[in-house]
Each structure stands twice: as C-alpha cells, then as structure tokens.
Amino acid sequence: QVQLVESGGGLVQAGGSLRLSCATSGSIFNINARSWYRQAPGKQRELVATITSVGITYVVDSVKSRFTISRDNAKNTVYLQMNSLKPENTAVYYCAAIGPKTYWGQGTQVTVSS
C-alpha cells in the first residue's frame, strides 16, 4: 500500500519561505497525480496544488504567484515551495497521492506569524 509522510512545516514570519516534502513509499503505478491540500481550523480541506504523473501542474489562483509544486522521481518525493508566506496561509498541509484510491499523509503544520 502507498504511504505518505510529510515534513518541512513549521513557524515562519510573514514574508518567509518554507519547502514542504512528501515522501512516498509503496508502488507508484497506481498514482496518477500527487497533490497538496490544506485545512485551517473550522474550514474544509482545500486543494492547493497538483502535479500529474506526466508533469502537468496546477496551483490554486490565490497562491499561484508564490507557491510551486515539483517532484523528484528518484527520491519518490513531491515538494511544495512556498514563498512570501502570509498569515492567511496558516493551516495543516496534507500530501495526497491520487489513483484508484486517494492516499493521505498525516499532515504538517504551517504557521505564519504577522
């Protein structure tokens, strides 16, 4: 079974940067896309960025100019580079591997102070 482990979250000041990592284990043949979602307290989980198995990327408009999704196939890892962070970006960020089933990581906390 596919297993995902996120890392790289933490506390940063507004304007700072973080790079989140999501290491994936297990067979990758069932994975069609890898995505980053986020969830703030009391809010629904929302899609932030996606990269498909053929390299097509999508980033939600609200952060498109500041966030970048990428992958390292040799390390079986997907990244979310977050620049110019704002307090509104504070949330738990989750990695997802999407195929016949969707697999979720445990999440990593990102907190941006004003």
Side-chain angles (χ1 to χ4, degrees), residues 20-84:
L20 306 183
S21 299
C22 176
T24 303
S25 62
S27 176
I28 63 172
F29 296 130
N30 293 329
I31 300 174
N32 303 126
R34 305 171 198 263
S35 298
W36 287 97
Y37 287 74
R38 66 185 177 189
Q39 187 170 24
K43 302 293 185 180
Q44 294 187 80
R45 193 171 298 185
E46 65 172 346
L47 177 67
V48 178
T50 293
I51 184 165
T52 73
S53 61
V54 295
I56 299 172
T57 61
Y58 164 83
V59 181
V60 68
D61 286 346
S62 61
V63 299
K64 186 175 182 179
S65 64
R66 300 182 290 115
F67 289 14
T68 303
I69 187 169
S70 62
R71 66 185 182 189
D72 185 333
N73 290 334
K75 296 181 179 179
N76 205 16
T77 299
V78 64
Y79 303 95
L80 184 67
Q81 178 67 48
M82 305 185 295
N83 298 325
S84 301

